[in-house]
mmCIF file of all heavy atoms in Angstrom:
data_model
loop_
_atom_site.group_PDB
_atom_site.id
_atom_site.type_symbol
_atom_site.label_atom_id
_atom_site.label_comp_id
_atom_site.label_asym_id
_atom_site.label_seq_id
_atom_site.Cartn_x
_atom_site.Cartn_y
_atom_site.Cartn_z
ATOM 1 N N VAL M 37 90.644 -6.247 121.376
ATOM 2 C CA VAL M 37 89.221 -6.504 121.610
ATOM 3 C C VAL M 37 88.779 -7.752 120.844
ATOM 4 O O VAL M 37 88.106 -8.644 121.397
ATOM 5 C CB VAL M 37 88.380 -5.287 121.202
ATOM 6 C CG1 VAL M 37 86.886 -5.635 121.159
ATOM 7 C CG2 VAL M 37 88.604 -4.139 122.174
ATOM 8 N N PRO M 70 86.679 -12.418 131.537
ATOM 9 C CA PRO M 70 86.331 -13.768 131.070
ATOM 10 C C PRO M 70 84.870 -14.119 131.347
ATOM 11 O O PRO M 70 84.245 -13.574 132.254
ATOM 12 C CB PRO M 70 87.268 -14.658 131.893
ATOM 13 C CG PRO M 70 87.488 -13.897 133.165
ATOM 14 C CD PRO M 70 87.505 -12.447 132.761
ATOM 15 N N ALA M 161 109.973 1.238 115.943
ATOM 16 C CA ALA M 161 109.809 1.990 114.690
ATOM 17 C C ALA M 161 110.709 1.411 113.611
ATOM 18 O O ALA M 161 110.322 1.323 112.442
ATOM 19 C CB ALA M 161 110.120 3.462 114.912
ATOM 20 N N SER M 167 109.587 -4.058 108.088
ATOM 21 C CA SER M 167 108.523 -4.955 107.649
ATOM 22 C C SER M 167 107.483 -4.251 106.794
ATOM 23 O O SER M 167 106.559 -4.903 106.298
ATOM 24 C CB SER M 167 107.847 -5.588 108.876
ATOM 25 O OG SER M 167 107.314 -4.582 109.728
ATOM 26 N N GLY M 168 107.593 -2.937 106.641
ATOM 27 C CA GLY M 168 106.613 -2.186 105.856
ATOM 28 C C GLY M 168 105.278 -2.073 106.548
ATOM 29 O O GLY M 168 104.240 -1.866 105.901
ATOM 30 N N LEU M 326 138.040 29.981 116.926
ATOM 31 C CA LEU M 326 137.909 30.037 115.473
ATOM 32 C C LEU M 326 136.887 29.001 114.991
ATOM 33 O O LEU M 326 136.051 29.285 114.125
ATOM 34 C CB LEU M 326 139.269 29.798 114.819
ATOM 35 C CG LEU M 326 139.321 29.905 113.293
ATOM 36 C CD1 LEU M 326 138.793 31.255 112.829
ATOM 37 C CD2 LEU M 326 140.743 29.664 112.792
ATOM 38 N N THR M 329 133.293 30.101 116.052
ATOM 39 C CA THR M 329 132.845 31.263 115.281
ATOM 40 C C THR M 329 132.514 30.870 113.844
ATOM 41 O O THR M 329 131.505 31.305 113.281
ATOM 42 C CB THR M 329 133.918 32.365 115.291
ATOM 43 O OG1 THR M 329 134.254 32.704 116.638
ATOM 44 C CG2 THR M 329 133.402 33.612 114.593
ATOM 45 N N VAL M 345 112.103 29.009 103.806
ATOM 46 C CA VAL M 345 111.025 28.090 104.190
ATOM 47 C C VAL M 345 110.295 27.581 102.950
ATOM 48 O O VAL M 345 110.011 26.385 102.816
ATOM 49 C CB VAL M 345 110.051 28.780 105.159
ATOM 50 C CG1 VAL M 345 108.822 27.907 105.408
ATOM 51 C CG2 VAL M 345 110.756 29.090 106.484
ATOM 52 N N THR M 493 119.664 41.523 124.255
ATOM 53 C CA THR M 493 119.854 41.833 125.673
ATOM 54 C C THR M 493 121.266 41.466 126.113
ATOM 55 O O THR M 493 121.942 42.241 126.812
ATOM 56 C CB THR M 493 118.823 41.060 126.525
ATOM 57 O OG1 THR M 493 117.504 41.481 126.176
ATOM 58 C CG2 THR M 493 119.047 41.322 128.012
ATOM 59 N N LYS M 515 122.711 30.600 129.191
ATOM 60 C CA LYS M 515 121.954 29.411 129.582
ATOM 61 C C LYS M 515 120.566 29.781 130.094
ATOM 62 O O LYS M 515 119.585 29.077 129.829
ATOM 63 C CB LYS M 515 122.723 28.620 130.638
ATOM 64 C CG LYS M 515 123.971 27.942 130.101
ATOM 65 C CD LYS M 515 124.679 27.151 131.188
ATOM 66 C CE LYS M 515 125.901 26.434 130.628
ATOM 67 N NZ LYS M 515 126.628 25.655 131.678
#
Side-chain angles (χ1 to χ4, degrees):
V37 168
S167 59
L326 183 55
T329 305
V345 172
T493 297
K515 290 181 178 179

